[in-house]
Amino acid sequence: MILRSIVLQLDGNLELVKKEFLGYYAYSFFLDQIKKIDQEKAKMYHKKNTFKPFTISPPFIVGDNIYLRICFLTDEIFSLFVSSLFDAKTIKLKEEFKIIKVYLTQEKNLPKKISRLVKVFSDDKNHQIPDFLTIKILTPLIFKKGLDYEIVPNAYLIKKSFEKRQLEIYQEIIFPLPKFFIDKIHLQTKAVKIEPFGDFVGMVGEVRLKLEEKNSSPFALEFFGLGIKTTMGLGQLLIQKK
């Protein structure tokens, strides 16, 4: 199984990106692109409670540039989306943004913060697994637990969210998490408004894991995100070795 994340560099209204959480608009743009290639797939992914083999960040700013990250959990959805971009010059994210470049692989001229978001992960790859991994939570993380919501991650919630998403997409656990415990937490609350759903309050920051067993599956976690509405920008992650 190969997982991929790509980054689009955009040009447009910086103030809009700074002030508003455009995750839903990024999701709508993504579905519009898929619709160009496969209308039935786009219609299916738009339905509530339908598995979605992708995660999408809200547009974000590094330096004076705007970026958008998309993670793909199957080869099919990656091929559909990349094919849809061949003639795309602009995208609509509440306002029109120009596509400057699509980064499918890391490039030397990319800022370090962006380069580390462009990745390919294979489960049969030989990875050097450290004793500690840090989950950087980039956008508000919220778990749904029955009828309630939890915003402070623990080992159970992380494992359950990761495995549930895999079962929805693959009908099996392809990336089994090793045994781990949370060694350190440094989090703060952050509120965002996702139009048209309303306000959401979750956690951003860092969670350090101590691995009691070792395999490469925790690196796959980054592509899935954690918690609810990862296709609309919540629960976006970066995994670091430390």
Side-chain angles (χ1 to χ4, degrees):
M1 178 62 63
I2 296 176
L3 308 176
R4 298 175 175 86
S5 63
I6 70 172
V7 170
L8 280 64
Q9 184 178 342
L10 309 173
D11 182 40
N13 188 340
L14 283 165
E15 290 304 312
L16 176 64
V17 176
K18 288 178 183 177
K19 291 190 295 185
E20 297 193 29
F21 189 87
L22 300 174
Y24 178 76
Y25 293 97
Y27 170 68
S28 297
F29 148 70
F30 183 87
L31 293 185
D32 286 343
Q33 291 299 121
I34 298 299
K35 189 176 180 180
K36 293 178 182 179
I37 308 296
D38 191 325
Q39 292 190 17
E40 288 303 312
K41 289 286 184 186
K43 186 177 179 180
M44 180 181 72
Y45 294 143
H46 187 66
K47 290 180 180 178
K48 187 178 180 181
N49 298 325
T50 300
F51 76 88
K52 298 174 175 65
F54 53 88
T55 62
I56 305 172
S57 77
F60 59 95
I61 297 170
V62 174
D64 292 323
N65 295 310
I66 302 168
Y67 298 94
L68 175 65
R69 184 196 194 194
I70 303 173
C71 298
F72 303 89
L73 308 179
T74 66
D75 291 336
E76 179 188 49
I77 194 65
F78 173 75
S79 297
L80 285 172
F81 182 76
V82 172
S83 297
S84 77
L85 291 176
F86 288 152
D87 296 323
K89 304 296 182 185
T90 62
I91 69 174
K92 188 72 175 294
L93 299 171
K94 196 167 189 179
E95 294 182 9
E96 192 171 271
F97 288 76
K98 183 180 179 182
I99 299 176
I100 302 299
K101 190 163 184 179
V102 178
Y103 293 97
L104 301 177
T105 58
Q106 294 180 351
E107 298 185 14
K108 289 183 180 179
N109 64 324
L110 268 175
K112 186 176 180 180
K113 287 183 179 180
I114 303 303
S115 183
R116 64 190 185 184
L117 296 177
V118 182
K119 295 182 178 179
V120 176
F121 175 84
S122 174
D123 56 346
D124 59 1
K125 211 171 177 182
N126 291 322
H127 292 270
Q128 290 186 342
I129 314 298
D131 292 328
F132 294 90
L133 290 174
T134 296
I135 302 176
K136 290 184 68 70
I137 304 168
L138 306 176
T139 60
L141 170 61
I142 306 168
F143 296 100
K144 189 170 184 181
K145 191 176 179 182
L147 298 177
D148 297 321
Y149 293 92
E150 298 277 351
I151 62 173
V152 179
N154 59 44
Y156 170 78
L157 290 172
I158 291 170
K159 187 173 188 292
K160 183 178 179 182
S161 175
F162 188 36
E163 291 185 348
K164 181 175 182 289
R165 192 84 186 277
Q166 290 186 65
L167 289 172
E168 289 172 345
I169 296 168
Y170 311 125
Q171 290 76 56
E172 61 178 316
I173 305 297
I174 294 179
F175 306 105
L177 281 179
K179 291 181 180 179
F180 70 91
F181 65 85
I182 293 178
D183 177 64
K184 290 182 180 179
I185 290 183
H186 180 68
L187 299 172
Q188 60 185 21
T189 58
K190 183 175 181 179
V192 296
K193 183 175 182 179
I194 303 180
E195 297 181 7
F197 299 98
D199 297 324
F200 292 81
V201 178
M203 289 290 193
V204 296
E206 295 186 356
V207 176
R208 191 168 81 156
L209 309 182
K210 173 68 169 69
L211 302 182
E212 296 184 293
E213 300 175 336
K214 293 187 179 182
N215 67 34
S216 63
S217 293
F219 296 109
L221 184 62
E222 179 175 327
F223 298 82
F224 288 77
L226 282 173
I228 65 171
K229 296 197 180 303
T230 57
T231 58
M232 298 180 191
L234 295 185
Q236 301 298 298
L237 311 176
L238 178 67
I239 307 293
Q240 294 183 328
K241 296 180 180 180
K242 66 175 181 178

